[in-house]
Amino acid sequence: MPPPADVVKVAIEWPGAFPKLMEIDQKKPLSAIIKEVCDGWSLTNHEYYALQHADSSNFYITEKNRNEIKNGTILRLTTSPAQTALQLHERIQSSSMDAKLEALKDLASYSRDITFAQEFINLDGISLLTQMVESGTERYQKLQKIMKPCFGDMLSFTLTAFVELMDHGIVSWDTFSVAFIKKIASYVSKFPSDIAILQRSLAILESMVLNSHDLYQKVAQEITIGQLIPHLQGSDQEIQTYTIAVINALFLKAPDERRQEMANILAQKQLRGIILQHVIRAQRAINNEMAHQLYVLQVLTFNLLEDRMMTKMDPQDQAQRDIIFELRRIAFDAESEPNNSSGNVEKRKSMYTRDYKKLGFINHVNPAMDFTQTPPGMLALDNMLYFAKHQQDAYIRIVLENSSREDKHECPFGRSSIELTKMLCDILKVGELPSETCNDFHPMFFTHDRSFEEFFCICIQLLNKTWKEMRATSEDFNKVMQVVKEQIMRALTTKPSSLDQFKSKLQNLSYAEILKLRQSERMSQEDFQSRPILELKEKIQPEILELIKQQRLNRLVEGTCFRKLNSRRRQDKFWYCRLSPNHKVLHYGDLEESPQGEVPHDSLQDKLPVADIKAVVTGKDCPHMKEKGALKQNKEVLELAFSILYDSNGQLNFIAPDKHEYCVWTDGLNALLGKDMMSELTRNDLDTLLSMEIKLRLLDLENIQIPDAPPPIPKEPSNYDFVYDCN
């Protein structure tokens, strides 16, 4: 007879004694179980003891997490979190350097557990650690030279414990003094060779900036870009990652009026060049966290363009009108201006109108009106002026080449520039907050100080070239823009390392090549529309959908590693979820690090019966997307979010690592609930598999015309005498 579901068999260790095998009844209070264990070893004062996992985590067992105990788990009887916190609180104040060092080392380890952290914080432990950081270093200043390794380790463990304790979100970041911030900021420049201290200090500064507006202002006063730059020139990628994270945090939280000023400082300090040389082009692979920080920096840099993108042109502003005059002057190089006589005024207006038409503006009389739409607003005019000044020959060639045509195939430079700028802003998501999960940075944007403008210059020449290849007229404008967008997107997916490489990729993506690629893709997903084929598709479709369903469920059985998003992304926390082979239970649990391969079911602590699932919700309907956070309300994270709702208001919240995993999991969960699989991935898979299956079935009918209607059924024969009886 199997044991009751509420009873688990475990082993319990106690130092100096043989481990005990015992059955734990999960219905009994935890205090009663601990008393029973203590009585077995004749230990009094059972309230001073607790159970914890004997693995590397050493997490305490509480009433909240006791259901994570599985059969075969090894536990350890140890002092209670309150007692341990009290002991460590006393030990870290020891006058003995060795005892203090050992206590801080233990504290750094114990602080990862939220139960211990709560007890230590209740003893005002955070204040004690901040006091040690503020004043303790001076106390040992004289000993620092002769005890430098000991001093470094002590400070490292102190900062590690502080970071772990703050990570639990129990204490507000707003409570820290200026003296503490100054001390942490000083470590960034004081201990460049001590990786552990530097890493913790940078992590603390980043968390301060992201979690408190007041602390942002204080940190911004204490830390300078000049102090951070040297850490990017080292060889430790983890330190480089933390450094860029601090720069990103300062950038993200800076008031709008400060961001451009900060960008100017970064340009003066040659941040872009240093990142290009020491990070992007360093002889080592870029890990996911570094890729994410580079992506965030790229997004924040492009977001500086948002102000110009959303600024309408004022037709009465003479300075803005002068830019349009300058575009005309560069293109047509007017040698002399007519005098201001009444006759010449009319002549000049007529000449300007003619020239503005040649420049391709929609409003020939007052081209300033073309820039009143936002986006792209004044950003389009900025791009046109940059192109005219920095690539003058190409600009003049495009304008004159099109203004001299008489066959209605001229490409309107003004209108094209405005629409192209709008398109580039859309592609680069200018004005949107960076995603918490995206790693999609483009190395080529770190190769030039004016990368957006250079990007525009390449793309406007591409547009002119594609226009000519398509022999387009003004009626084809939108078609040309669609082709150009496809050319740009295809080139960007190859992640060119420089703008020149991007340009050469575009050279190979001519209009003829795009047509070939489209034709190839169309053929691979060819959709036969004749009635017999449509009937065949209808007949095959349920079989194909079942095949897709089984694939989705198999992927859920394999499982996926999901990242836990928190305020400090540096300390990556992962959890894994997978479906049981019988499709009845979801197993999930936290992981120390990202796994290599599948994670076995028995190592995942929690489970959720599929029968208990009430619904699967996505996007804005997810509970964790309704929370207000600094980076949670952006479009990209919303598109990857889904939640499982189960009885008793329970919820399991996910943010998929990418769109593919999102589709796989939402399809699989819907299939488990007997609902339709509605994802884009399912539609694509269905189209592809249907097309392949139909082509396979039609192989024997090659070059045979399939009739639209089935052939008529012949009349029955007048007799059946021709039937041969084998018997």
Side-chain angles (χ1 to χ4, degrees):
M1 182 177 173
D6 293 320
V7 174
V8 289
K9 295 181 178 181
V10 300
I12 300 179
E13 299 175 344
W14 173 250
F18 287 109
K20 280 188 174 183
L21 296 176
M22 69 179 291
E23 294 183 351
I24 291 180
D25 186 351
Q26 293 284 38
K27 291 181 179 177
K28 290 172 72 174
L30 191 58
S31 57
I33 295 169
I34 293 170
K35 185 178 187 305
E36 184 182 336
V37 175
C38 290
D39 291 345
W41 275 309
S42 303
L43 299 171
T44 57
N45 299 325
H46 70 274
E47 62 272 13
Y48 291 161
Y49 294 92
L51 292 173
Q52 66 179 182
H53 288 281
D55 58 16
S56 58
S57 70
N58 291 328
F59 287 164
Y60 282 100
I61 305 297
T62 65
E63 290 291 354
K64 286 184 179 179
N65 64 21
R66 62 184 296 178
N67 290 329
E68 296 175 6
I69 303 173
K70 308 298 178 190
N71 282 315
T73 301
I74 301 175
L75 303 178
R76 182 188 299 120
L77 185 67
T78 185
T79 52
S80 68
Q83 284 295 110
T84 305
L86 190 60
Q87 291 168 10
L88 281 173
H89 193 271
E90 293 172 358
R91 286 171 56 201
I92 62 175
Q93 299 179 73
S94 170
S95 57
S96 165
M97 289 284 282
D98 290 338
K100 193 183 189 80
L101 179 63
E102 197 62 34
L104 287 167
K105 184 178 179 181
D106 290 343
L107 179 62
S109 174
Y110 275 105
S111 295
R112 291 180 299 149
D113 183 89
I114 191 168
T115 312
F116 168 84
Q118 186 70 66
E119 296 292 345
F120 188 77
I121 289 169
N122 288 344
L123 295 171
D124 212 14
I126 293 282
S127 296
L128 179 59
L129 291 179
T130 54
Q131 287 168 20
M132 289 172 64
V133 170
E134 288 173 24
S135 60
T137 50
E138 276 92 3
R139 191 182 304 167
Y140 301 111
Q141 201 75 31
K142 294 178 182 177
L143 299 172
Q144 189 171 345
K145 289 184 180 178
I146 57 174
M147 302 185 69
K148 191 168 184 179
C150 178
F151 171 78
D153 289 345
M154 188 180 297
L155 185 55
S156 172
F157 289 134
T158 304
L159 295 177
T160 301
F162 177 83
V163 168
E164 295 288 356
L165 290 168
M166 291 303 298
D167 245 7
H168 296 298
I170 299 169
V171 178
S172 168
W173 283 92
D174 287 310
T175 56
F176 299 108
S177 67
V178 175
F180 178 72
I181 298 168
K182 284 180 183 261
K183 191 63 69 174
I184 296 296
S186 72
Y187 295 155
V188 172
S189 54
K190 191 181 288 186
F191 297 105
S193 59
D194 195 317
I195 301 299
I197 294 174
L198 182 57
Q199 183 191 89
R200 271 49 161 202
S201 299
L202 289 167
I204 291 169
L205 289 175
E206 185 205 1
S207 291
M208 285 178 172
V209 172
L210 289 177
N211 288 287
S212 167
H213 178 68
D214 290 340
L215 287 186
Y216 155 73
Q217 294 177 320
K218 293 172 184 174
V219 171
Q221 290 171 359
E222 295 300 326
I223 198 81
T224 65
I225 300 300
Q227 290 172 305
L228 295 171
I229 292 290
H231 303 309
L232 291 172
Q233 296 171 315
S235 58
D236 189 297
Q237 190 172 114
E238 194 168 7
I239 294 299
Q240 290 175 326
T241 304
Y242 277 80
T243 303
I244 297 176
V246 173
I247 293 171
N248 285 339
L250 290 168
F251 219 140
L252 187 67
K253 291 297 179 179
D256 291 342
E257 64 274 9
R258 272 275 299 147
R259 283 186 188 170
Q260 189 59 58
E261 183 185 335
M262 187 175 172
N264 295 337
I265 294 170
L266 294 178
Q268 289 171 9
K269 298 293 182 182
Q270 299 180 324
L271 176 72
R272 179 197 58 76
I274 290 168
I275 289 176
L276 183 66
Q277 180 183 347
H278 295 280
V279 178
I280 296 174
R281 291 183 177 170
Q283 299 300 312
R284 62 174 179 269
I286 292 177
N287 61 35
N288 286 341
E289 186 53 42
M290 175 60 86
H292 172 74
Q293 293 303 334
L294 291 172
Y295 152 79
V296 172
L297 183 59
Q298 173 185 294
V299 171
L300 295 175
T301 303
F302 283 141
N303 279 357
L304 293 170
L305 303 169
E306 185 182 11
D307 183 50
R308 294 293 283 174
M309 181 182 78
M310 300 308 293
T311 300
K312 294 182 179 182
M313 185 170 186
D314 180 2
Q316 307 305 319
D317 188 320
Q318 189 59 42
Q320 294 179 1
R321 290 165 64 100
D322 286 346
I323 299 175
I324 298 176
F325 293 151
E326 181 68 4
L327 288 173
R328 177 191 163 279
R329 186 196 64 76
I330 294 172
F332 304 112
D333 195 24
E335 292 180 0
S336 61
E337 292 292 334
N339 296 325
N340 287 330
S341 63
S342 59
N344 283 336
V345 167
E346 291 301 319
K347 185 177 179 182
R348 185 172 60 179
K349 281 184 178 179
S350 173
M351 181 178 66
Y352 279 10
T353 300
R354 185 186 70 243
D355 289 348
Y356 291 148
K357 182 178 180 181
K358 289 179 179 179
L359 278 169
F361 290 114
I362 297 173
N363 192 318
H364 308 149
V365 177
N366 186 5
M369 300 304 295
D370 287 15
F371 300 96
T372 55
Q373 179 191 356
T374 58
M378 288 295 292
L379 185 60
L381 189 58
D382 295 342
N383 283 339
M384 293 167 72
L385 184 63
Y386 182 90
F387 180 49
K389 286 191 170 182
H390 291 81
Q391 298 196 24
Q392 193 166 322
D393 291 344
Y395 167 70
I396 293 172
R397 177 178 54 79
I398 287 175
V399 172
L400 296 184
E401 190 179 80
N402 287 289
S403 64
S404 61
R405 297 186 72 134
E406 297 291 339
D407 55 2
K408 296 185 180 179
H409 289 289
E410 69 277 2
C411 176
F413 174 74
R415 182 185 176 191
S416 299
S417 298
I418 292 167
E419 289 301 318
L420 179 64
T421 301
K422 185 178 178 181
M423 180 201 293
L424 298 184
C425 289
D426 182 55
I427 290 172
L428 298 176
K429 296 181 169 60
V430 175
E432 291 186 21
L433 282 172
S435 162
E436 268 283 1
T437 56
C438 186
N439 303 331
D440 188 25
F441 83 98
H442 293 279
M444 73 177 193
F445 291 130
F446 290 85
T447 62
H448 201 285
D449 288 328
R450 303 287 294 274
S451 57
F452 185 81
E453 289 87 343
E454 289 291 321
F455 187 41
F456 170 84
C457 291
I458 293 170
C459 294
I460 193 65
Q461 293 177 75
L462 166 74
L463 192 154
N464 188 63
K465 172 174 169 281
T466 303
W467 185 284
K468 288 190 289 185
E469 289 172 349
M470 292 177 69
R471 290 192 55 77
T473 63
S474 57
E475 287 80 12
D476 303 315
F477 188 86
N478 290 334
K479 290 180 184 177
V480 176
M481 295 306 293
Q482 288 171 6
V483 173
V484 169
K485 184 172 184 177
E486 187 174 342
Q487 290 170 313
I488 294 169
M489 294 300 290
R490 286 182 184 273
L492 284 177
T493 53
T494 64
K495 292 291 178 73
S497 59
S498 67
L499 289 163
D500 286 338
Q501 196 176 58
F502 173 69
K503 195 172 182 177
S504 65
K505 296 275 185 190
L506 291 175
Q507 290 292 334
N508 297 327
L509 284 169
S510 63
Y511 177 56
E513 183 62 25
I514 291 292
L515 287 179
K516 283 182 187 176
L517 290 168
R518 284 179 174 180
Q519 180 66 18
S520 172
E521 290 166 3
R522 195 178 298 119
M523 287 178 67
S524 67
Q525 297 181 358
E526 192 170 8
D527 189 16
F528 301 99
Q529 295 300 322
S530 65
R531 184 180 158 196
I533 300 300
L534 291 174
E535 288 180 0
L536 180 60
K537 284 175 75 173
E538 266 183 54
K539 186 178 178 181
I540 298 172
Q541 187 162 316
E543 181 186 331
I544 300 294
L545 281 172
E546 183 61 30
L547 187 67
I548 294 171
K549 175 183 171 182
Q550 290 305 317
Q551 187 273 339
R552 300 292 192 265
L553 294 176
N554 289 340
R555 277 288 294 108
L556 264 61
V557 170
E558 290 174 18
T560 301
C561 177
F562 298 92
R563 176 181 271 126
K564 283 189 173 183
L565 296 183
N566 55 18
S567 58
R568 288 185 56 258
R569 200 177 184 276
R570 230 68 337 85
Q571 289 213 341
D572 278 336
K573 295 183 179 180
F574 300 93
W575 69 289
Y576 200 88
C577 187
R578 63 180 298 180
L579 182 65
S580 62
N582 63 3
H583 300 173
K584 291 183 184 274
V585 178
L586 281 172
H587 296 267
Y588 61 96
D590 293 344
L591 299 177
E592 290 282 326
E593 56 186 5
S594 183
Q596 303 297 321
E598 291 182 24
V599 175
H601 293 97
D602 51 12
S603 66
L604 300 173
Q605 307 93 340
D606 300 296
K607 61 183 180 180
L608 171 64
V610 172
D612 290 349
I613 298 176
K614 301 298 181 189
V616 175
V617 294
T618 60
K620 291 181 179 178
D621 296 327
C622 297
H624 59 314
M625 288 295 104
K626 293 176 183 176
E627 302 166 5
K628 291 185 178 178
L631 298 179
K632 281 191 175 177
Q633 298 304 314
N634 63 75
K635 183 181 174 185
E636 199 152 356
V637 172
L638 283 173
E639 289 177 349
L640 298 176
F642 61 99
S643 297
I644 294 174
L645 307 181
Y646 53 95
D647 46 13
S648 304
N649 296 321
Q651 61 197 43
L652 199 56
N653 298 320
F654 300 77
I655 293 180
D658 52 49
K659 192 68 178 176
H660 182 271
E661 287 296 321
Y662 169 84
C663 292
V664 166
W665 273 85
T666 51
D667 282 344
L669 292 170
N670 281 324
L672 285 173
L673 298 178
K675 297 181 179 179
D676 292 337
M677 299 179 292
M678 305 297 291
S679 76
E680 184 182 342
L681 183 63
T682 291
R683 289 196 297 273
N684 292 339
D685 286 351
L686 181 62
D687 289 344
T688 303
L689 292 171
L690 270 176
S691 176
M692 289 172 62
E693 182 65 22
I694 287 171
K695 285 177 182 178
L696 284 171
R697 295 194 182 199
L698 297 180
L699 277 176
D700 292 337
L701 298 178
E702 193 172 358
N703 298 324
I704 295 176
Q705 183 69 34
I706 300 173
D708 288 337
I713 299 173
K715 293 179 181 179
E716 287 191 20
S718 56
N719 63 70
Y720 293 90
D721 292 344
F722 57 84
V723 176
Y724 179 74
D725 188 356
C726 296
N727 297 325

